[in-house]
Amino acid sequence: MLSIKNLQASVEEKEILRGINLEVKAGEVHAIMGPNGSGKSTLASVLAGKEDYEVTGGEVDFMGKDLLEFDADVRAREGVFLAFQYPVEIPGVSTTNFMKTALNQIREHHGEKPLDAVSFLKRMKEKMKLVEIDQSLLSRSLNEGFSGGEKKRNEIFQMAMLEPKLAILDETDSGLDIDALRIVANGVNALKSKENATIVVTHYQRLLDYIVPDYVHVLYKGRIVKSGTKDLALELEEKGYDWIKEEAEAQA
Amino acid sequence: MKEIAGNTIISSLTTQFEAFEKQLNGQSKSAVHQVRRAALAQLQTAGLPAARDEEYKFTNLTRALVKNIDFDKSAPAFALESEAIEGVQVEGLDAYKLIFLNGEYNESLSDTISVDGLTVLPFQTALKEKQETVEQYFGKNAALESDPFIAMNTAFSMNGVFIEIADKVVVDKPIALYFIGDSANAQLSYQIRNLVVAGKFTQATIIEKFDTVGGHESFTNVVNEFSVDHNAHIQYFKIENDSDKAYHVSNTYASQEGSSNFTANTIALNGAMVRNNLNIRLDGEGCESHMNGLYVLKGKTHVDNHTVVDHVKANSYSNELYKGIMDDKSRGVFNGKIFVRQDAQKTNAFQSNKNVLLSDNATINTKPQLEIWADDVKCSHGCTTGQLDQDALFYLQARGIQKEKARAILLRAFASDVLENIDNEAIKNYLEAIITERLEA
C-alpha cells in the first residue's frame, strides 16, 4: 500500500528526515517510535502533505501513485488520513458542517454523489458511538474549547467518518488519561480491516498495549535505526532509548 | 479667502448654492435654510479635510474628489431600466421600499406605507408638512463643525427621507431606502439627508443601500440623524456594495435616551473610496448600543470606518465589533473612539476590530481611542491583524477539502460572528451569498 524509499525532508534548510525506508501493506499496523526530535512527527506531516516541509529526496508510492506529487487535500481524497498531534481550533466552523464538506469532496473525487442528509446523519450517529462523542460537541465550533481528550476523540471520529485507507496517528496518546486512551484505541481497532493500514507514531509504548502493532520501527536522527515486532516496543519501554542511540552512533 | 483644502470644489458648490437658493422662493427665509447658509459659510471657512487632517489621515477623500469628480457638472438624467433598479435590491427582503433615483425620491417605484403612527415623507415634503418637527431635530445631532461633509450635506439638504414614529408604534417591516444612481453616460454626484425621529417604546429597522450603475464616477454624501427616545429599539443597516468608481461618505449620528437600544450594522463590500462616520451618543441611563461592522475588500477599494461612542450617562452598555478581510491592493481603516464622561459611572463599553490581510499589498490602519473620565467602568478594546491561519488551512486540507474551498470556509468563519449578529434573514443571506462568491473566486 505504502512504499517509502530513501525519503529526505527538511524545514528551513534544516535536514530532519535523512533517508526513511518503510513498506506498509494493507491490513498492517506499524508503530513508529523514537526519542523527541527524531523526526516522527515530521514524517507524519510530510506524508500528509504539509507545505512547511521540503522534500529533498526519495519517493513515496501510495497504492501505485506518487504521493509526493499531490497537495494535501488530494492525498486525503486518495485515502491518507492524519490524526493531528495538536488538532487546530477553528472558531465559526462546526465539526458537523466540516465533515459534511470533507466527506462530499472526497466522494466527488471518487465520482460519487454527495451523501443525502439522512444517510449523513446515520453515518454520524454510528461513528459517534464508536468514539463515545456527544452530538452537542460536534455542533460546536471545531475543537474550540475542547479538552485534550475531546480533541483526540474528535480526530478518531473524523477518521471513522472518512474511512481512509491509510491512517497516520501522530502522538494520539499524548496528554490522554487512561479512559480516553482506551476509547481512542477502541475506535482505531474497530476501524481496522484487511483493506486499510495504520501507522501509529508514539513516544511511549503505552498506546501499543491497546493498538497492537505488527511492526515497530525506531526512528533516530531522521532514520529508521531498528525494526522489530511489538516486543521491541516493550524493550524500549523497559530500557529507554539510550541503548538505541548508542547502537546507532556506533554504526554511524 | 485663505487657502483651504478642496477650494475648487467649494467654489463650484458656492455657485450651485446660489442657483439652489433662487429656486427656493418663499422657503429661503425658513429656519432650515438659515442652517443651510450657516453650513455653506462653515464649509467656506473650514474647507474640506486637508491632507494632514488627523481625522482623514489615511483617507484623502478631498484629493480623490478633486481628481475624480467634477462638481460643476449637473446631474445626468436617470435612464436605467427597471431591471437595473431591481438588480441592486436585496432579494427576498420583505420591507417597505423607498426608491431614490439620482438622489430624487420616486413615488411610483416606492411603496405606499400606511402604518398608524408612522410618517414617512420625502425630506423636502417634510420641510413643509412637518416643519416644526424638522426644525426641532434637523442638524441637532450632526453638528456642522464635526465633519466638513456634514457641512456640505447640510448646505444642500433637500433630498432624502423623513421618518417619524409615534410613541409605542412598532413598525412591522423594515423600511428599505434604495439610492440608485445612473452613471452610464456621465458622472454623478448627489447628497442625501435623512432624519429619523423615533418616539418612546417604538421599534423599527431602517436599511440604507447606495448603488451606482454605469461606468462613470459617482460621489454620494449622506447624513443620517437618528433621535431615539426612551425604550425605543432602532436598528440601522448600511450596505455598501457599490461600483468600483463610487466615492461615498456617510455621517450617521444617533442620540439615545434612557433604556433605548440602537444597533448599527455597517457593511462595506465594494466602492472606490468609502468613508463612514458613525457617532452614537448614549444620553440616558440603561441604554444599549451595538455596532457591527464588516468590510470585505478587493481590488483598490478603500474603506474607512470611523466610530464614536459617547457615554454621557451612567449604567449604559455599548459593544462594537468590526471585522475586515482585505485582498489585492485594498485598504481598510478603522478608528474607534469611546468616550466615557464623568457622570457615566458603571458604563460597560467594549470594542474589537479584527482583520485578515490576504495579500502583501493590502493594508489596514486600525486605531482604538479610549477617553475615560469616570472611575467605575468596564471598558475593553482590542485589535488584531493577521494573515489566514496556515495551520487551520492545512487541517482542513488534510481532511480532503480543496485549498480554495478551505480558504473560503475559514474566511467565512472569520466573518461569521458579525453575520450572526444580523437580525434579518434576507439581509444575512444576501451578504453571505456575496461574501461566499467573493471568497471562493
Side-chain angles (χ1 to χ4, degrees), chain A residues 60 65-72 74-75:
Chain A
V60 179
K65 290 176 181 163
D66 180 0
L67 194 67
L68 300 177
E69 279 293 298
F70 298 140
D71 283 343
V74 181
R75 294 184 198 197

Side-chain angles (χ1 to χ4, degrees), chain B residues 35-233:
Chain B
V35 180
R36 289 191 191 120
R37 279 192 178 139
L40 185 75
Q42 165 73 21
L43 195 63
Q44 286 166 333
T45 340
L48 290 178
R52 277 185 306 273
D53 190 314
E54 189 59 30
E55 291 299 311
Y56 282 82
K57 198 172 166 184
F58 298 112
T59 303
N60 199 333
L61 194 54
T62 305
R63 190 176 63 194
L65 293 178
V66 168
K67 201 175 149 196
N68 294 293
I69 305 291
D70 182 353
F71 282 84
D72 284 330
K73 277 199 181 138
S74 53
F78 189 94
L80 290 176
E81 305 282 328
S82 59
E83 246 173 35
I85 296 172
E86 295 280 326
V88 299
Q89 300 180 23
V90 177
E91 205 185 321
L93 177 67
D94 185 20
Y96 297 113
K97 272 193 312 196
L98 300 180
I99 309 277
F100 296 78
L101 305 177
N102 286 1
E104 285 182 25
Y105 174 68
N106 186 296
E107 195 179 351
S108 63
L109 291 173
S110 302
D111 290 339
T112 317
I113 307 174
S114 50
V115 174
D116 281 344
L118 172 66
T119 311
V120 180
L121 294 171
F123 191 78
Q124 69 244 57
T125 312
L127 289 177
K128 295 172 205 146
E129 294 179 12
K130 285 280 178 178
Q131 196 187 346
E132 215 171 292
T133 318
V134 172
E135 282 172 9
Q136 191 183 340
Y137 293 99
F138 174 73
K140 295 298 187 290
N141 282 322
L144 299 177
E145 320 75 59
S146 23
D147 187 279
F149 293 98
I150 293 179
M152 185 198 280
N153 180 286
T154 304
F156 293 92
S157 47
M158 180 56 97
N159 287 317
V161 72
F162 167 85
I163 299 173
E164 188 182 17
I165 311 163
D167 291 353
K168 295 183 189 170
V169 170
V170 173
V171 183
D172 60 334
K173 289 199 282 190
I175 300 169
L177 312 173
Y178 290 108
F179 301 97
I180 306 162
D182 177 1
S183 70
N185 300 312
Q187 60 165 242
L188 170 78
S189 74
Y190 63 88
Q191 323 229 16
I192 292 293
R193 183 74 175 216
N194 299 321
L195 183 58
V196 179
V197 180
K200 297 177 178 71
F201 298 96
T202 54
Q203 209 170 309
T205 297
I206 290 152
I207 298 155
E208 169 189 294
K209 191 168 184 287
F210 279 82
D211 289 279
T212 314
V213 183
H216 289 84
E217 292 79 7
S218 66
F219 170 61
T220 44
N221 177 6
V222 59
V223 172
N224 297 306
E225 289 183 283
F226 285 88
S227 172
V228 182
D229 211 337
H230 289 273
N231 288 285
H233 274 66

Side-chain angles (χ1 to χ4, degrees), chain A residues 73 76-77 82 105 155 158, chain B residues 395-397 399-402:
Chain A
D73 50 315
R77 281 180 254 154
L82 172 66
Q105 287 229 311
E155 292 295 289
Q158 292 174 32
Chain B
Y395 189 78
L396 298 188
Q397 275 188 277
R399 297 293 176 260
I401 299 172
Q402 265 173 325

Side-chain angles (χ1 to χ4, degrees), chain A residues 49-51 72-73 76-77 81-82 84 88 90-91 93 98 101-102 105-106 143 155 158, chain B residues 389-403 405 409-410 412-414 416:
Chain A
K50 191 161 190 186
E51 286 172 9
D73 50 315
R77 281 180 254 154
F81 182 93
L82 172 66
F84 283 65
V88 183
I90 306 183
V93 179
F98 164 52
T101 310
Q105 287 229 311
I106 291 172
N143 294 326
E155 292 295 289
Q158 292 174 32
Chain B
D389 182 346
Q390 294 300 315
D391 288 332
L393 194 63
F394 175 62
Y395 189 78
L396 298 188
Q397 275 188 277
R399 297 293 176 260
I401 299 172
Q402 265 173 325
K403 194 171 191 173
K405 180 101 182 160
I409 288 174
L410 290 176
R412 166 69 186 74
F414 172 78
S416 67

Side-chain angles (χ1 to χ4, degrees), chain A residues 57-240:
Chain A
E59 292 165 26
V60 179
D61 180 285
F62 178 65
M63 303 187 66
K65 290 176 181 163
D66 180 0
L67 194 67
L68 300 177
E69 279 293 298
F70 298 140
D71 283 343
D73 50 315
V74 181
R75 294 184 198 197
R77 281 180 254 154
E78 287 285 333
V80 177
F81 182 93
L82 172 66
F84 283 65
Q85 181 179 6
Y86 304 110
V88 183
E89 297 191 7
I90 306 183
V93 179
S94 74
T95 308
T96 308
N97 281 337
F98 164 52
M99 273 296 103
K100 200 179 279 172
T101 310
L103 192 62
N104 286 334
Q105 287 229 311
I106 291 172
R107 291 176 67 88
E108 193 186 321
H109 182 74
H110 295 289
E112 294 162 356
K113 280 190 186 133
L115 216 54
D116 64 80
V118 177
S119 313
F120 178 78
L121 283 177
K122 194 168 157 248
R123 187 157 167 162
M124 283 261 299
K125 285 220 169 95
E126 204 178 289
K127 309 298 185 188
M128 274 157 50
K129 223 178 275 168
L130 196 68
V131 288
E132 300 174 34
I133 203 165
D134 200 60
Q135 172 69 55
S136 63
L137 208 61
L138 302 182
S139 311
R140 274 165 49 185
S141 281
L142 190 54
N143 294 326
E144 197 185 28
F146 284 26
S147 71
E150 286 170 338
K151 283 181 184 171
K152 295 300 172 76
R153 270 190 278 162
N154 193 7
E155 292 295 289
I156 306 306
F157 166 74
Q158 292 174 32
M159 175 177 145
M161 286 295 288
L162 303 180
E163 298 178 341
K165 298 199 178 69
L166 174 68
I168 304 163
L169 311 181
D170 186 9
E171 308 259 3
T172 297
D173 49 339
S174 66
L176 291 191
D177 64 29
I178 204 72
D179 284 335
L181 191 72
R182 185 186 47 77
I183 293 168
V184 163
N186 285 347
V188 173
N189 289 329
L191 295 169
K192 264 198 313 200
S193 79
K194 284 190 180 120
E195 279 79 45
N196 62 28
T198 312
I199 296 176
V200 182
V201 174
T202 181
H203 184 79
Y204 301 105
Q205 185 271 340
R206 192 176 62 155
L207 179 64
L208 306 179
D209 283 339
Y210 298 90
I211 305 172
V212 181
D214 299 300
Y215 300 96
V216 173
H217 311 277
V218 182
L219 200 61
Y220 179 61
K221 287 193 174 171
R223 285 195 189 92
I224 289 175
V225 293
K226 203 169 187 66
S227 294
T229 62
K230 62 178 187 260
D231 296 337
L232 177 58
L234 291 169
E235 199 178 348
L236 287 169
E237 178 76 0
E238 200 181 308
K239 304 203 295 199

